[in-house]
């Protein structure tokens, strides 16, 4: 086997993220993924290029889109001889596809590839009623006409009501927001802290747009030029007016303002070996050094649904002989403001670090000025599988601009999972 | 003479006029008039509906066939002018050529100009061209020539329909289809809704019978658009897409589509799946 060679990241492309049922309401996952890929192709001169692979995915996906990524590649301006496959790891999808492609590059199995993700909360799949589906399948299996007729008598008017996707954990019946509210209460995360965090996400994002940071990372789509959810005028006063939506009674702290909105969007990242990039005279922004995935037992194990990255990061640090403070930038996905705040608190808590993470001393605090410096999901929006690609590209450019150093990515995902990774400036 | 329109004319009124004046039209000259409209903007909702019906992806780039739809009311305006010699009902769309100098974007403002030119004989009557030119800020970006036939002599035999068959081009299953399309019964009504072309031969089988078709037929420009949509990701930005409409697609139908790249030119064909009888033959050149 060849020596390991960390994959280079040359950059990425995404479409502006839109609020659900906004300007992308009629666009499908395939439309948006194709647009993100074609924007990347245009940015990096990949017309008709045959890449090693394209890995992408979507969380809310129609069954007809079983081969979503391959279909998007066939319609994009890449070579149709480029293989592709779908990955789904909830909100971790975009980072997980990046890790897949980077690992194959590191192992010498491919020279180049695209990692991508897309999601639409607008064009969501609606399935036929579960009772109706069972009856129809039984009719299909029935051997005789009388059997079929008997089964058809099971049809009921209520069965026209379709199944719509719900943002709830199958095993707990609670939405992600309700789970996060439990964690927020356990860690004593206040409403004020959360609102402050959300305001800074909006202000950081607006400042980054204003100074042109996203000009070579985003391609306008369907008339939208910038992230629709961004509120450059966000303030504590405006957020304080919102009523809590998750949790219960007087202790509820989580509002629509300090939680991510349902969103539509797509992102893509270009990775390769150094040689491939050099041959094409493409600048290398960063290398993906290492990654780790963790899962927690949020069902019976007493851990919070979105706490898996808290476990993944110390394992990743130990393997790379790094301290939590050894990073120039931290990109912690803002599923909810309270999730980021609980994550940081957990790493600072000696008894939690000892009992849950098995650490002799806590990971300690981070320099907050290095956290989500260009805003994150609270302001940008969060089309589930597209968030990873957005974060990787943002961090890669931050490191390239600085010219040195390393950054940490941490993304929590449904199902009690977390995906984390380290990027280093090239 | 140029007629300047400052807003898109209502198609309902134009159709009423077309039907009312159909019987009185005669002559052997096309009007010199051109119909022009400046600053035509793209309605993204309508573009999205058009894309869904024709199989294009939702994007910021206009399908090469879309300016045809934008200019359709202008063409109608010209064809219901008193000086226009042919009645609209019964005109047969026999060919269409689109040339695009670059891709057009949905946020661009187009100036559209429509004329009727080149009246000439055809084995089965007379034919002429409707030409559309689209400019952006004075720069010619897109042009179309649609050839229409006014049938004046009955067809002598089946073979006379297709005087110059191209060997191997969708003839009797000469080439294998690259795709099978099931063209649904309602495609005529759906395309009418997004294009404004509400010619009843596309909408209603009974009316289609009056004009000699066994069933309602698909719009030629839908079929062309569907072909270009099938080449998603492969179409050059600068292109000439030329098709001949060989026979109508009766609705519903199952048809074969074939595409073949020779050098930088795509040869495309649509044909009846069972018999191989050609519906559309064409080429797309970079």
């Amino acid at each position: 086997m060849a020596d390991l060679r960390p994959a280079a990241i040359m950059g990425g492309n995404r479409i502006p993220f839109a609020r659900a049922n906004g300007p992308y309401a009629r666009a499908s996952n395939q439309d948006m993924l194709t647009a993100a890929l074609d924007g990347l192709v245009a940015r990096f001169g990949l017309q008709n290029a045959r890449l090693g692979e394209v890995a992408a995915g979507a969380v809310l996906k129609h069954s007809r889109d079983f081969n979503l990524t391959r279909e998007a590649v066939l319609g994009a301006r890449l070579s149709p001889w480029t293989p592709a496959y779908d990955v789904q790891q909830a909100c971790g999808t975009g980072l997980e596809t990046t890790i897949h492609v980077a690992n194959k590059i590191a192992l010498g199995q491919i020279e180049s590839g695209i990692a991508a993700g897309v999601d639409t909360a607008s064009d969501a799949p609606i399935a036929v009623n579960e009772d109706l589906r069972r009856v129809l399948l039984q009719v299909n299996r029935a051997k005789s006409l009388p059997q079929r007729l008997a089964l058809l008598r099971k049809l009921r008017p209520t069965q026209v009501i379709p199944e719509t996707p719900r943002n709830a954990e199958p095993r707990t019946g609670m939405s992600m927001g309700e789970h996060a509210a439990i964690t927020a209460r356990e860690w004593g995360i206040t409403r004020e802290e959360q609102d402050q965090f959300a305001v800074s996400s909006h202000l950081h994002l607006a400042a980054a747009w204003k100074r042109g940071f996203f000009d070579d990372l985003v391609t306008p789509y369907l008339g939208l030029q910038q992230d629709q959810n961004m509120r450059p005028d966000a303030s504590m006063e405006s957020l304080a007016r919102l009523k809590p939506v998750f949790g219960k009674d007087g202790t509820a702290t989580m509002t629509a303002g300090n939680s991510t909105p349902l969103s539509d969007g797509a992102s893509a990242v270009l990775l390769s070996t150094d040689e491939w990039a050099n041959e094409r005279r493409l600048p290398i922004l960063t290398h993906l050094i290492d990654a780790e995935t963790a899962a927690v037992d949020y069902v019976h194990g007493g851990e919070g649904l979105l706490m898996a990255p808290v476990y993944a990061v110390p394992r990743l640090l130990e393997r790379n002989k790094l301290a939590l403070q050894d990073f120039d930038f931290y990109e912690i996905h803002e599923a909810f403001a309270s999730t980021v705040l609980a994550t940081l608190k957990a790493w600072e808590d000696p008894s939690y670090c000892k009992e849950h993470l098995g650490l002799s001393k806590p990971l300690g605090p981070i320099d907050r000025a290095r956290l989500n410096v260009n805003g994150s999901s609270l302001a940008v929006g969060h089309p589930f599988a597209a968030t990873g690609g957005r974060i990787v590209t943002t961090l890669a450019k931050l490191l390239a601009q600085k010219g040195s150093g390393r950054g940490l990515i941490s993304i929590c995902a449904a199902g009690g999972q977390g995906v984390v990774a380290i990027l280093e400036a090239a | 003479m140029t007629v300047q329109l400052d807003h898109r004319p209502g198609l309902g009124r134009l159709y009423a006029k077309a039907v009312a004046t159909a019987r009185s039209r005669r002559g052997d000259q096309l009007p010199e008039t051109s119909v022009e409209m400046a600053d035509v903007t793209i309605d993204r909702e309508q573009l999205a509906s058009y894309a869904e019906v024709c199989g294009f992806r939702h994007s910021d780039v206009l399908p090469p066939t879309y300016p045809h739809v934008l200019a359709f009311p202008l063409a109608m305006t010209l064809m219901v002018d008193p000086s226009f010699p042919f009645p609209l009902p019964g005109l047969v769309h026999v060919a269409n050529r689109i040339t695009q100098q670059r891709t057009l974007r949905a946020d661009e403002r187009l100036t559209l100009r429509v004329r009727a030119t080149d009246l000439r004989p055809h084995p089965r009557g007379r034919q002429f061209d409707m030409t559309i030119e689209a400019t952006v800020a004075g720069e010619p970006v897109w042009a179309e020539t649609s050839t229409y036939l006014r049938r004046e002599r009955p067809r002598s035999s089946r073979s006379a329909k297709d005087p110059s068959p191209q060997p191997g081009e969708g003839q009797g299953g000469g080439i294998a289809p690259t795709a099978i399309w099931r063209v649904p019964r309602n495609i005529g009504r759906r395309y009418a809704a997004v294009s404004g072309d509400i010619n009843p031969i596309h909408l209603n089988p009974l009316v289609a019978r009056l004009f000699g078709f066994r069933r309602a037929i698909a719009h030629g420009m839908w079929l062309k658009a569907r072909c270009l949509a099938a080449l998603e990701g492969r179409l050059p930005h600068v292109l000439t897409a030329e098709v001949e409409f060989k026979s109508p697609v009766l609705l519903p139908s199952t048809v074969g589509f074939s595409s073949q790249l020779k050098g930088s030119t795509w040869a495309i064909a649509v044909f009846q799946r069972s018999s191989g009888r050609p519906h559309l033959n064409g080429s797309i050149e970079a």
Side-chain angles (χ1 to χ4, degrees):
Chain A
M1 193 187 289
D3 290 337
L4 292 185
R5 39 177 193 180
I9 295 173
M10 273 78 76
N13 180 66
R14 66 177 175 96
I15 57 176
F17 290 176
R19 291 174 68 93
N21 300 313
Y24 305 166
R26 295 174 71 174
S28 66
N29 277 331
Q30 198 182 329
D31 290 326
M32 293 191 288
L33 182 56
T34 306
L37 291 175
D38 273 342
L40 191 77
V41 166
R43 230 175 253 300
F44 292 96
L46 302 175
Q47 288 81 2
N48 217 27
R50 181 170 68 84
L51 303 183
E53 70 180 28
V54 177
V59 176
L60 289 175
K61 195 163 115 172
H62 296 265
S63 54
R64 63 168 183 260
D65 284 341
F66 61 96
N67 228 349
L68 171 67
T69 310
R70 175 61 182 147
E71 286 298 324
V73 167
L74 281 171
R77 293 203 171 265
L78 287 168
S79 164
W81 303 82
T82 300
Y85 57 93
D86 281 30
V87 174
Q88 199 284 106
Q89 198 178 35
C91 311
T93 304
L95 184 53
E96 193 65 61
T97 57
T98 306
I99 296 167
H100 280 223
V101 174
N103 284 351
K104 286 198 185 181
I105 290 168
L107 285 170
Q109 293 171 347
I110 57 174
E111 292 291 313
S112 63
I114 294 174
V118 58
D119 251 294
T120 169
S122 305
D123 186 39
I126 291 178
V128 296
N129 182 284
E130 182 63 14
D131 291 342
L132 176 62
R133 193 181 70 92
R134 282 175 202 274
V135 174
L136 293 176
L137 287 172
Q138 283 173 5
V139 170
N140 191 38
R141 283 191 290 266
K143 297 212 164 31
S144 67
L145 185 63
Q147 279 179 350
R148 286 194 191 104
L149 290 173
L151 284 166
L152 290 174
R153 282 205 296 275
K154 288 189 180 178
L155 294 176
R156 298 285 177 275
T158 52
Q159 290 169 350
V160 302
I161 299 167
E163 294 270 328
T164 50
R166 291 192 314 139
N167 179 16
E169 286 296 329
R171 288 175 189 277
T172 65
M174 283 188 281
S175 73
M176 193 174 276
E178 289 165 326
H179 273 285
I182 296 170
T183 305
R185 198 166 57 240
E186 280 176 3
W187 285 98
I189 312 293
T190 66
R191 166 79 184 265
E192 196 183 6
E193 277 179 284
Q194 295 177 47
D195 284 357
Q196 190 64 56
F197 193 78
V199 168
S200 69
S201 184
H202 282 281
L203 299 184
H204 283 152
L205 179 69
W209 271 108
K210 201 170 173 191
R211 67 171 186 273
F213 181 85
F214 294 111
D215 289 357
D216 59 352
L217 305 182
V218 179
T219 307
Y221 183 58
L222 301 186
L224 190 60
Q225 309 282 330
Q226 293 192 340
D227 301 309
Q228 190 192 12
N229 189 58
M230 177 172 73
R231 299 277 179 279
D233 57 351
S235 67
M236 288 300 282
E237 294 73 46
S238 59
L239 286 184
R241 282 197 287 274
L242 299 170
K243 286 208 178 79
V245 289
F246 300 115
K248 50 187 179 204
D249 59 58
T251 64
T253 55
M254 290 173 51
T255 68
N258 57 39
S259 310
T260 47
L262 289 174
S263 318
D264 304 338
S267 66
V269 183
L270 179 62
L271 301 102
S272 76
T273 60
D274 286 5
E275 295 74 29
W276 193 90
N278 292 336
E279 274 164 30
R280 289 176 173 255
R281 296 174 187 279
L282 294 173
I284 297 169
L285 305 184
T286 56
H287 290 98
L288 192 146
I289 301 303
D290 199 1
E292 174 79 18
T293 306
V296 296
D297 184 3
Y298 67 98
V299 185
H300 307 294
E303 187 51 276
L305 176 71
L306 301 178
M307 294 296 273
V310 176
Y311 292 75
V313 165
R315 293 186 209 160
L316 183 68
L317 294 176
E318 191 187 352
R319 187 161 65 230
N320 289 273
K321 305 279 177 280
L322 291 169
L324 183 59
Q325 291 68 31
D326 291 342
F327 294 88
D328 301 274
F329 299 103
Y330 302 86
E331 285 287 338
I332 304 182
H333 161 52
E334 300 166 347
F336 304 92
S338 63
T339 308
V340 181
L341 297 167
T343 298
L344 297 176
K345 265 195 156 167
W347 285 335
E348 293 171 18
D349 188 300
S351 68
Y352 181 88
C353 283
K354 185 159 188 279
E355 285 160 28
H356 291 80
L357 307 180
L359 302 173
S360 53
K361 58 182 172 62
L363 293 184
I366 63 163
D367 178 356
R368 291 285 186 96
R370 300 176 178 188
L371 173 63
N372 299 354
V373 296
N374 284 340
S376 190
S377 305
L378 286 170
V380 189
H382 174 38
F384 310 117
T387 288
R390 172 187 70 73
I391 290 178
V392 168
T393 309
T394 299
L395 178 58
K397 184 169 173 183
L398 280 167
L399 288 166
Q401 283 184 336
K402 187 170 187 298
S404 66
R406 67 173 75 85
L408 178 68
I409 298 174
S410 163
I411 297 179
C412 57
Q417 307 205 84
V419 193
V420 303
I422 298 172
L423 304 190
E424 255 179 29
Chain B
M1 192 183 85
T2 301
V3 176
Q4 286 280 355
L5 302 179
D6 54 4
H7 64 278
R8 232 167 282 184
L11 283 163
R13 199 178 52 80
L14 291 174
Y15 273 104
K17 198 169 165 190
V19 173
T21 60
R23 307 197 66 161
S24 62
R25 292 183 181 272
R26 48 188 53 86
D28 50 16
Q29 270 193 325
L30 294 168
E32 297 283 317
T33 316
S34 60
V35 179
E36 193 175 298
M37 193 168 151
D39 272 343
V40 176
T41 54
I42 311 296
D43 179 322
R44 286 193 184 259
E45 282 298 309
Q46 280 175 15
L47 174 62
S49 300
Y50 176 86
E52 283 167 7
V53 171
C54 300
F56 292 105
R57 216 140 281 300
H58 290 299
S59 92
D60 293 273
V61 169
L62 293 191
T65 43
Y66 195 63
H68 173 89
V69 170
L70 293 175
F72 185 70
L74 282 66
M76 282 287 290
T77 302
L78 185 57
M79 290 163 106
V80 302
D81 188 87
S83 61
F84 197 80
F86 305 118
L88 194 59
L91 284 178
V92 183
H93 198 178
V94 292
N96 177 277
R97 185 177 73 236
I98 286 172
T99 300
Q100 185 174 274
Q101 306 299 336
R102 60 171 174 81
T103 46
L104 300 180
R105 298 186 52 86
D107 55 5
E108 293 189 291
R109 286 166 177 265
L110 305 179
T111 294
L112 300 167
R113 186 153 160 257
V114 178
R115 288 183 305 149
T117 60
D118 201 7
L119 181 61
R120 57 199 187 275
H122 182 278
R124 276 155 47 205
R126 285 181 290 169
Q127 59 183 335
F128 64 94
D129 294 334
M130 294 295 291
T131 65
I132 309 171
E133 289 161 18
T135 55
V136 173
E139 169 205 8
V141 288
W142 184 96
E144 178 190 74
T145 303
S146 269
T147 305
Y148 291 89
L149 164 67
R150 167 68 183 167
R151 281 188 293 193
E152 288 162 331
R153 283 181 289 281
R155 60 182 67 145
S156 49
S157 72
R158 272 201 159 252
S159 62
K161 269 171 57 5
D162 188 11
S164 57
Q166 295 161 22
E169 293 277 335
Q171 301 290 312
I175 44 175
T178 48
I180 304 292
W181 297 343
R182 286 158 194 92
V183 184
R185 188 183 304 276
N186 66 359
I187 201 66
R189 288 189 289 274
R190 292 182 62 204
Y191 185 78
V194 298
S195 68
D197 184 349
I198 55 167
N199 188 334
I201 58 172
H202 304 301
L203 311 180
N204 186 307
L206 297 176
V207 180
R209 262 170 198 253
L210 291 179
F211 287 89
F213 302 105
R214 277 184 293 130
R215 302 196 296 267
I217 63 170
H219 293 77
M221 287 308 289
W222 173 81
L223 193 61
K224 179 170 184 175
R226 181 70 188 79
C227 290
L228 297 189
L231 291 168
E232 181 196 1
R234 317 296 173 86
L235 290 177
H237 297 296
V238 179
L239 61 79
T240 295
E242 189 160 14
V243 302
E244 286 179 64
F245 300 112
K246 298 300 219 177
S247 65
V249 174
L250 299 177
L251 298 175
S253 274
T254 299
V255 299
F257 167 74
S258 77
S259 61
Q260 226 180 342
L261 185 61
K262 296 169 188 160
S264 62
T265 301
W266 288 98
I268 56 169
V270 180
F271 42 90
Q272 203 176 61
R273 197 191 174 189
S274 49
S275 68
R277 180 185 179 202
H279 294 305
L280 174 151
N281 283 340
S283 66
I284 299 156
E285 280 176 56

